Amino acid sequence: MGSLKNVYYKMLGLILLTCTILLIVSFLIPESVINNIFDKKEASYLINKVVFSLSLYAITFLNVDMLRALGKTILSELFRNVFRYLPFLILAIYLVYSSNELYLIDAYLLSFLCLALGSFIVIYRIILKSELEDITSHLSYRHIFLKSYPMAISALSYFLMQSVDILLLTKYSTFEQVAYYAVAVKLSTITSLALLSVNIIIAPKIAEIYANKDNNQLKTLLKNSNRLILILSFPVIVLLAFFSEWILSLFGDEYVVAQNALLILLLGQLFNSLCGPVGVYMNMTGKQNKLQRMLIFGLLLNVILNIIYIPKYGMIGAASSTAFSMILWKTIAAITTFKQDKVKTFIS
């Protein structure tokens, strides 16, 4: 546990260093260049705000996982899924009723200041209360970086695959069209919550069983996980698909134009659920470098398809490109894992 404390403080240092470098780079890039890339005069203003808040966002999620490592699973999930939205919800309600919606972005970013400080104080108190021995960890900054950067690249690639369609749609369309499509993306992402939740639970168990070379137990864990993911996600996908027009209309009648895009994205998410926890399996079994290459391939394909089809087909092109690239990299990952380890990360 003393070693864990040492690693945590090193991770804080790496986050602050990385975010400082990104902040300096963002200040060196002229505003006109960023505005021209997105063909929007507000782009530089918004991006600078996000980069400035990035360290708070990163520290929040480091603290969430640190709480889980300390055995405070319930508190960790409260920060991840409840406290994460609560400050923004309160500020948003106040801004809407005071007719200051212009500051919604600032309120969202400010909420991570509350989260980063609050979670750090909780962790610091736990460390003090536990009187953890100050052990000098054998895990150096270099070791942490070399082990984690493939996972970081994979996470970045996966995140960009979920976002590049919105970024490119911003360039080729209006903010109104982007808003309609963004709601469809958010709704489809709800269906992946089952996969994410199961991943959080089984990740350390996969690493433990794999290290013990208990292949039968590993197969049983993956089979049960796959079935649980499908049981939890399939009804939500069906519900969103059948009532897509009505659900979109709740945000405003004009949002119904994103219905077809939503249906395509839901198809991609269905396949995502069917393939199961293949990503977390590869990360937990020493295959993070292979996963990194697959995700980079998926990202490049996603970008190319979006560049080709968004100018022609708008939201439909964005949704089709994102769904297809997800289906392709997930298929490659599942087949590769099955061939190498003889385990099925997909539903069967």
Side-chain angles (χ1 to χ4, degrees):
M1 293 297 281
S3 179
L4 178 62
K5 179 179 73 171
N6 190 275
V7 171
Y8 170 70
Y9 287 133
K10 286 180 179 177
M11 290 294 290
L12 276 179
L14 286 172
I15 285 175
L16 292 173
L17 175 63
T18 305
C19 292
T20 300
I21 292 171
L22 288 173
L23 189 60
I24 293 171
V25 170
S26 71
F27 282 134
L28 292 176
I29 300 175
E31 290 185 6
S32 57
V33 173
I34 298 176
N35 291 338
N36 288 335
I37 289 174
F38 291 97
D39 196 24
K40 301 284 188 296
K41 64 180 181 180
E42 304 93 341
S44 176
Y45 171 75
L46 294 173
I47 288 174
N48 285 336
K49 279 181 177 291
V50 171
V51 174
F52 186 77
S53 309
L54 192 58
S55 61
L56 301 173
Y57 183 89
I59 289 171
T60 296
F61 284 96
L62 171 65
N63 291 345
V64 165
D65 282 325
M66 178 62 176
L67 286 168
R68 192 154 59 100
L70 288 167
K72 306 293 183 180
T73 307
I74 294 176
L75 190 57
S76 170
E77 292 308 306
L78 282 173
F79 269 104
R80 188 195 303 273
N81 296 311
V82 179
F83 301 155
R84 176 182 173 186
Y85 302 104
L86 194 58
F88 175 60
L89 176 63
I90 294 170
L91 288 171
I93 292 172
Y94 170 76
L95 291 173
V96 168
Y97 278 99
S98 61
S99 300
N100 288 307
E101 294 92 338
L102 183 65
Y103 299 104
L104 278 170
I105 294 173
D106 301 85
Y108 178 72
L109 298 176
L110 182 63
S111 67
F112 283 100
L113 175 62
C114 303
L115 287 166
L117 288 175
S119 56
F120 177 79
I121 290 170
V122 170
I123 289 172
Y124 187 70
R125 292 184 65 180
I126 291 173
I127 290 174
L128 285 180
K129 186 177 179 180
S130 303
E131 296 181 349
L132 298 179
E133 188 180 349
D134 193 7
I135 298 173
T136 302
S137 173
H138 67 283
L139 298 177
S140 62
Y141 285 102
R142 181 176 181 273
H143 183 90
I144 293 171
F145 175 78
L146 291 177
K147 284 292 183 182
S148 62
Y149 92 86
M151 298 183 190
I153 298 297
S154 297
L156 178 62
S157 300
Y158 185 77
F159 172 77
L160 288 174
M161 268 195 283
Q162 305 299 312
S163 309
V164 72
D165 47 357
I166 295 177
L167 290 172
L168 290 173
L169 195 64
T170 303
K171 179 175 176 60
Y172 294 108
S173 187
T174 63
F175 274 141
E176 286 77 13
Q177 290 293 312
V178 174
Y180 305 151
Y181 181 71
V183 168
V185 171
K186 290 290 186 184
L187 288 172
S188 67
T189 305
I190 292 172
T191 62
S192 66
L193 290 178
L195 177 61
L196 293 173
S197 301
V198 173
N199 282 348
I200 290 170
I201 297 168
I202 68 171
K205 200 67 180 174
I206 288 175
E208 178 187 348
I209 296 172
Y210 185 82
N212 293 333
K213 298 181 180 179
D214 190 342
N215 206 41
N216 289 330
Q217 188 178 357
L218 188 60
K219 288 179 179 179
T220 301
L221 175 66
L222 290 172
K223 182 175 71 173
N224 292 336
S225 300
N226 292 336
R227 290 176 178 177
L228 181 60
I229 290 167
L230 190 62
I231 288 169
L232 293 174
S233 62
F234 187 72
V236 180
I237 292 172
V238 172
L239 184 69
L240 286 172
F242 272 96
F243 298 98
S244 56
E245 183 176 353
W246 176 76
I247 292 171
L248 285 168
S249 69
L250 295 176
F251 298 90
D253 292 338
E254 61 274 19
Y255 282 83
V256 176
V257 299
Q259 182 182 13
N260 290 333
L262 174 58
L263 294 174
I264 294 170
L265 291 170
L266 288 174
L267 178 63
Q269 289 295 343
L270 174 61
F271 195 86
N272 187 28
S273 297
L274 292 173
C275 282
V278 62
V280 74
Y281 175 84
M282 295 185 76
N283 268 335
M284 293 295 103
T285 55
K287 301 176 185 65
Q288 63 266 31
N289 289 318
K290 287 185 178 180
L291 179 63
Q292 173 192 325
R293 291 192 290 270
M294 292 175 189
L295 282 167
I296 291 175
F297 166 74
L299 174 61
L300 292 175
L301 178 65
N302 195 359
V303 171
I304 292 169
L305 291 176
N306 274 294
I307 290 174
I308 293 173
Y309 291 111
I310 284 179
K312 293 181 180 179
Y313 303 107
M315 287 187 285
I316 301 297
S320 301
S321 301
T322 299
F324 179 76
S325 59
M326 177 188 289
I327 290 171
L328 188 60
W329 86 259
K330 278 275 190 173
T331 301
I332 295 172
I335 292 173
T336 301
T337 300
F338 180 68
K339 283 186 175 181
Q340 184 170 346
D341 293 345
K342 305 302 179 186
V343 295
K344 296 178 180 179
T345 59
F346 49 89
I347 194 74
S348 62

